[in-house]
Amino acid sequence: MPAQSFRMGDANGDENRGDGETPVHEVRLERFSIDATSVTNDDFAGFTDATGYRTEAEVWGFSAVFHLAVAAPMQDLLGTPPDTPWWRGVKGADWRHPGGRNSGIHDLGDHPVVHVSWNDAAAYCAWAGRSLPTEAQWEAASRGGLDGARFPWGDDPHADLTVAAPTTQTRPGEPWMMNIWQGTFPIDNALEDGFLTTAPVRSFTPNAYGLWQTIGNVWEWCADWWHPGYYRASAFVDPRGPVQGQVRVMRGGSYLCHMSYCNRYRNSARSSNTPDSSMGNGGFRTVETRADDDSLQPGV
């Protein structure tokens, strides 16, 4: 990513109340490198094979699975959150078994790893000599140099990109440009984009910086603690979020986003979760580690 100044935040009036996407404010970043894709199952397997690391979902023995993606016997279902009844707590769900004990990833090596907590992602980064992106780095990278745009390619969710794309691109479900929900959420997915859950990380078309699927597919953990009022006090140069907090920033939306309840599949959209939470639509990508960076380690 080139050194740049950009306007961070929602410039289109799309903000979800309480998410803290405003005020729009100028941010200056030095150049940095960021993964072109989310970390894949194959990538994460390399980490666990080398270290023996067990994710928090594996240690606890359960994780959150979307109800249409459950692949487990009835006795493994642990309950349903009252405010989000499309989720199921599933015993045995983890990154190797994304739907539960009757699922696997043998043919999903190029899909994003899911069921990884912030702590798990930070542990991977420590092993790889990388870091989680700051929220500002993530948004600058996702925007691809397009000031104020809703999406990595512009404002139209169905628009074609004008940038040249590698020959490896896939375009399932044209004219969709991202992996989100189509149909009646959460009971009927029309699959117009080609996917019920995750898509291979190099699906659709990359943005002008060469990044694939920063929006849709899976939520991506960022380094920062989250606070809805942070933008009012954000630093101009290299902002890194509040110095402490209860939840960490997540960016980009996922395959479950739908305008009827969650329009967070946008460049400026923000969400958050506790650092020990894992779910079937959450993953991450990494950036180069800076010499002064001592804040992105597990449990900090």
Side-chain angles (χ1 to χ4, degrees):
M1 300 300 106
Q4 61 186 279
S5 294
F6 76 102
R7 292 191 305 147
M8 185 171 178
D10 171 33
N12 306 105
D14 299 321
E15 177 182 15
N16 289 284
R17 189 173 184 178
D19 282 358
E21 292 183 48
T22 55
V24 176
H25 55 290
E26 190 171 0
V27 167
R28 175 70 183 175
L29 295 175
E30 297 304 315
R31 60 183 299 180
F32 63 98
S33 75
I34 187 169
D35 295 339
T37 72
S38 304
V39 171
T40 66
N41 285 316
D42 282 348
D43 296 330
F44 203 77
F47 162 55
T48 60
D49 289 348
T51 63
Y53 182 85
R54 297 180 69 213
T55 62
E56 293 189 295
E58 290 173 291
V59 171
W60 296 335
F62 71 94
S63 190
V65 180
F66 179 62
H67 73 109
L68 295 182
V70 170
M74 286 294 296
Q75 61 264 32
D76 286 354
L77 304 187
L78 301 177
T80 299
D83 295 333
T84 53
W86 45 88
W87 285 108
R88 302 286 187 270
V90 179
K91 187 186 303 183
D94 56 46
W95 75 274
R96 288 188 176 92
H97 309 92
R101 74 165 82 178
N102 294 338
S103 64
I105 57 169
H106 64 278
D107 58 348
L108 302 177
D110 61 348
H111 285 234
V113 65
V114 293
H115 296 292
V116 285
S117 68
W118 187 96
N119 294 324
D120 297 330
Y124 174 95
C125 288
W127 169 77
R130 305 280 286 177
S131 299
L132 291 172
T134 66
E135 187 175 13
Q137 286 176 326
W138 189 97
E139 185 168 324
S142 183
R143 289 189 176 281
L146 294 180
D147 182 58
R150 286 185 173 92
F151 308 116
W153 56 85
D155 287 332
D156 185 346
H158 302 287
D160 285 329
L161 286 178
T162 58
V163 299
T167 57
T168 54
Q169 76 176 60
T170 59
R171 286 178 174 267
E174 289 280 20
W176 289 93
M177 302 294 293
M178 52 193 161
N179 178 16
I180 58 173
W181 189 278
Q182 299 89 39
T184 304
F185 186 85
I187 58 173
D188 178 34
N189 190 335
L191 302 179
E192 294 170 9
D193 60 17
F195 303 100
L196 175 64
T197 60
T198 59
V201 294
R202 293 182 184 268
S203 299
F204 305 101
T205 308
N207 71 5
Y209 287 160
L211 274 68
W212 302 76
Q213 295 198 86
T214 51
I215 62 171
N217 214 19
V218 294
W219 284 102
E220 296 183 352
W221 289 109
C222 291
D224 310 38
W225 291 110
W226 178 87
H227 189 280
Y230 176 70
Y231 282 7
R232 293 192 293 271
S234 173
F236 166 57
V237 178
D238 190 27
R240 302 178 70 178
V243 296
Q244 60 185 1
Q246 300 296 316
V247 291
R248 294 283 187 175
V249 171
M250 302 185 81
R251 284 299 203 114
S254 80
Y255 58 79
L256 294 181
C257 279
H258 186 268
M259 186 59 73
S260 66
Y261 89 102
C262 169
N263 70 333
R264 293 182 179 89
Y265 48 97
R266 295 175 289 106
N267 290 324
S268 66
R270 312 175 75 209
S271 190
S272 61
N273 212 332
T274 56
D276 57 358
S277 293
S278 65
M279 68 294 294
N281 65 339
F284 67 103
R285 72 179 72 207
T286 75
V287 297
E288 63 185 336
T289 299
R290 298 171 300 193
D292 65 344
D293 200 344
D294 60 359
S295 65
L296 307 184
Q297 302 304 312
V300 174

